Amino acid sequence: MGAWPVQPPTFAILVVAGLYVLGGRWRVGSQVHRSRDRWRTIAFASGLLVLVAALDTPIDSEADRLFAVHMVQHVLLLSVAPPLIVLGAPWARIWRPLPLGFRRTTAKALVVDPRTRPLRLLAHRLTHPAVAWVAFCGNLVLWHVPALYDATLRNGAVHDLEHALFFSTGILFWAQVIPSAPFRVRLDEPRRALYALLAMLVGWVLAVVLGFARTPLYHPYTTLAHRPGGLSALADQQIAAGVMWVPGSLAFTIAIVLFFYRWIAPEPESRRRSGLSPLTTTTR
C-alpha cells in the first residue's frame, strides 16, 4: 500500500472533534435527551472516522491506481460520511466552546450586518431542497466527465477540490433528508423519500454508463504499467460501476424505506389524540 502520510484534512478533523468534545460539557436535559445525544455522538464520530478513512488512509493512495478504489472513496465522501455527520447534528455543540466574544461578533455579522446580506441570500438559496439536489447530482455527474476526472488524477489541487465539493454538496443534500437540529428540513416524509430516490437514480444511470462502456473512459487508468491484481482497465471500471450501484445506493435505500414507511405507517395513539399527523408535524 506504500506510505501512509498524515494529510491536512486530518488536522481539520481533529480540531472539529476537539471542539465537539469540549462542547459536550454544556449538555443538559432528561435521560431521553442524553440517550439521543449518545446516538448522535456515535453517528458524528462515525462520520469523522469515515472521512479519515477516505482521505488519509491507503484508500487515498490506491485511488490513483484503481478506479474501483477511487469509487469507494467517492461513495464514502458522498453518501456515508455526510449523512452520518448530519444525523449527529453537531453544529451547536461545535459552536459552544468558541470564545463568547467571537461567537457574538460572528453571529451579529452573519445575522444582522447589511454587508453580509448577499451571504445570507446565498445560504438561503443553497439550502433550498431543489438547489441542494441539483448541486449534489450535478456535481456527481460533472466530475465523472472524462476530461475533469482525468484532471483530478493529474493535479492534486483539482483532486482536493473534487473531494471538497463532494463532501460539501453531500452535507447540503443530506440536510434536506435528515433532521439536524437546530436546522429544519422543508420536506415531508413522502417528498424526502422521493428526493432520495431521484438522487439514487442519477447514480444508477452513471453506473450503467460506466458498467456497459465498451472501452475504458478515463485515460490515466489505461496507461498504468502495473495494475494491482492484474485487472484490466475495463474490468476495473466495471467493478467501480458496481461499487457505485450497490454500496453507493445503501444510504439512499435506507432513507427511502424509512420515510416511506413513516408515511404509510399507522399514526401513534398519542399523535391521533393530539390531532396531529406525520405531515403536519414536519418542519418547513
Side-chain angles (χ1 to χ4, degrees):
M1 289 294 186
W4 187 341
V6 177
Q7 300 189 28
T10 302
F11 293 104
I13 292 170
L14 289 174
V15 169
V16 170
L19 290 173
Y20 185 82
V21 171
L22 290 174
R25 295 182 302 177
W26 282 267
R27 286 185 298 177
V28 295
S30 65
Q31 182 64 36
V32 173
H33 289 136
R34 287 194 292 271
S35 177
R36 182 179 59 189
D37 285 345
R38 279 197 295 271
W39 283 109
R40 284 179 173 174
T41 298
I42 291 171
F44 179 63
S46 299
L48 293 186
L49 289 175
V50 170
L51 278 181
V52 172
L55 299 174
D56 198 18
T57 70
I59 290 176
D60 187 53
S61 58
E62 287 299 294
D64 292 337
R65 303 175 63 206
L66 281 173
F67 185 17
V69 176
H70 205 164
M71 188 61 74
V72 169
Q73 187 179 48
H74 289 179
V75 168
L76 294 177
L77 292 172
L78 283 162
S79 60
V80 181
L84 286 171
I85 289 173
V86 170
L87 183 62
W91 325 114
R93 186 164 162 176
I94 291 172
W95 178 251
R96 289 192 202 110
L98 298 175
L100 180 60
F102 172 82
R103 284 185 285 154
R104 286 177 173 173
T105 302
T106 303
K108 182 178 179 181
L110 293 177
V111 175
V112 299
D113 194 327
R115 291 172 296 182
T116 61
R117 186 171 183 272
L119 289 177
R120 293 194 292 273
L121 291 175
L122 177 62
H124 181 72
R125 295 287 186 271
L126 288 176
T127 55
H128 189 280
V131 175
W133 189 94
V134 171
F136 179 80
C137 296
N139 185 62
L140 172 65
V141 173
L142 185 65
W143 283 109
H144 285 86
V145 172
L148 279 178
Y149 199 101
D150 291 353
T152 67
L153 297 173
R154 296 192 178 104
N155 188 300
V158 177
H159 203 180
D160 291 341
L161 175 63
E162 176 199 43
H163 289 169
L165 288 175
F166 277 159
F167 178 68
S168 59
T169 58
I171 292 290
L172 280 176
F173 174 85
W174 289 103
Q176 311 306 316
V177 179
I178 302 170
S180 190
F183 304 105
R184 296 170 179 258
V185 297
R186 306 184 191 183
L187 303 172
D188 55 24
E189 278 85 353
R191 289 187 179 90
R192 276 186 262 176
L194 179 62
Y195 192 80
L197 174 63
L198 293 176
M200 184 175 70
L201 291 178
V202 172
W204 283 10
V205 171
L206 188 54
V208 168
V209 171
L210 295 174
F212 288 93
R214 296 186 177 183
T215 59
L217 299 179
Y218 306 112
H219 181 69
Y221 288 122
T222 66
T223 59
L224 294 174
H226 303 286
R227 187 179 305 280
L231 286 173
S232 68
L234 185 58
D236 185 22
Q237 182 171 288
Q238 291 166 345
I239 295 173
V243 171
M244 174 177 279
W245 200 329
V246 182
S249 299
L250 183 59
F252 299 96
T253 302
I254 292 172
I256 293 165
V257 172
L258 173 63
F259 291 117
F260 184 75
Y261 173 78
R262 288 177 59 179
W263 177 43
I264 65 172
E267 296 181 37
E269 182 65 26
S270 60
R271 182 174 288 173
R272 286 200 299 270
R273 289 176 180 175
S274 66
L276 300 175
S277 71
L279 299 187
T280 59
T281 56
T282 302
T283 54
R284 295 184 181 275

